């Protein structure tokens, strides 16, 4: 995987200006063994409950990135070691959580990339609520299903199209 988010930004200043290329604010911590990942976004919108997260990660990931808008809540974790392992087994390349994770040592043993606001030991509720495959907004940055996600040590980009053709 040969890309650098800095180079993508430099080569696409016009798309940054139009919003076709967006940058998530530097709020996210890195977890998992893959510090760099890219793939198309699959979106979820949940709040302090992760039943839909499990359901989605049980399905084939096909090299996609699960982007979870957890409302920025830091009162419970939406992804833990079991779900990260499930994601790895089912071919997801990454998970971005606008919320918390837990079981950090287990997540860090998985061969996927994970970004989250923080770690927090309390698990989420199980209410089977939420929305999938919808437009979400994380820290003011819009993400549509099918957008391209590029993540590395410098940050996380969201693009309306594949910029590495």
């Amino acid at each position: 995987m040969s890309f650098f988010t800095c180079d993508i930004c430099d080569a696409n200043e016009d798309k940054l200006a139009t919003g076709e290329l967006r940058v998530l604010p530097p709020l996210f911590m890195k977890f998992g063994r893959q510090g760099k990942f890219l793939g198309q976004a699959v979106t979820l919108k949940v709040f302090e409950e992760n039943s839909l997260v499990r359901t989605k990660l049980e399905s084939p990931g096909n090299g996609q990135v699960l982007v979870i808008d957890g409302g920025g809540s830091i009162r419970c974790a939406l992804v833990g070691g079991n779900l990260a392992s499930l994601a790895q087994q089912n071919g997801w390349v990454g998970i971005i959580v606008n919320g918390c994770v837990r079981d950090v040592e287990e997540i860090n043993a998985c061969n996927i990339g994970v970004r989250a606001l923080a770690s927090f030991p309390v698990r989420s509720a199980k209410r089977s609520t939420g929305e999938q495959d919808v437009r979400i907004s994380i820290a003011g940055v819009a993400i549509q299903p099918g957008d391209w996600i590029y993540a590395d040590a410098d940050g996380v980009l969201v693009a309306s199209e594949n910029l590495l053709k």
Side-chain angles (χ1 to χ4, degrees):
M1 200 174 334
S2 181
F3 74 89
F4 297 96
T5 58
C6 291
D7 292 342
I8 293 172
C9 287
D10 291 352
N12 293 281
E13 289 179 343
D14 58 327
K15 288 178 174 46
L16 283 167
T18 64
E20 295 171 82
L21 176 61
R22 301 166 300 283
V23 183
L24 289 181
L27 306 172
F28 296 88
M29 297 175 64
K30 298 174 189 78
F31 304 95
R33 288 181 36 208
Q34 292 299 317
K36 181 183 279 196
F37 59 93
L38 72 94
Q40 285 189 279
V42 173
T43 61
L44 295 179
K45 185 172 186 167
V46 299
F47 189 73
E48 297 182 356
E49 92 88 32
N50 74 346
S51 299
L52 196 54
V53 176
R54 172 173 286 283
T55 299
K56 190 54 79 173
L57 292 175
E58 287 173 341
S59 68
N62 301 316
Q64 297 176 53
V65 177
L66 183 61
V67 185
I68 305 163
D69 179 5
S73 173
I74 56 171
R75 296 187 298 210
C76 67
L78 296 175
V79 173
N82 290 337
L83 292 184
S85 180
L86 192 60
Q88 175 186 298
Q89 292 168 18
N90 288 324
W92 295 86
V93 296
I95 304 170
I96 297 174
V97 184
N98 185 24
C100 294
V101 297
R102 69 186 216 156
D103 303 318
V104 169
E105 289 186 23
E106 293 175 29
I107 292 173
N108 286 343
C110 291
N111 194 27
I112 62 169
V114 177
R115 299 291 191 278
L117 297 178
S119 62
F120 195 75
V122 177
R123 68 179 171 189
S124 72
K126 309 285 188 258
R127 295 185 302 268
S128 298
T129 60
E131 300 174 84
Q132 59 183 330
D133 301 319
V134 295
R135 179 187 182 276
I136 59 175
S137 179
I138 295 179
V141 176
I143 303 169
Q144 299 272 8
D147 279 349
W148 285 85
I149 306 294
Y150 305 87
D152 69 5
D154 289 311
V156 179
L157 305 179
V158 180
S160 302
E161 63 181 285
N162 184 355
L163 300 176
L164 299 179
K165 295 177 191 173

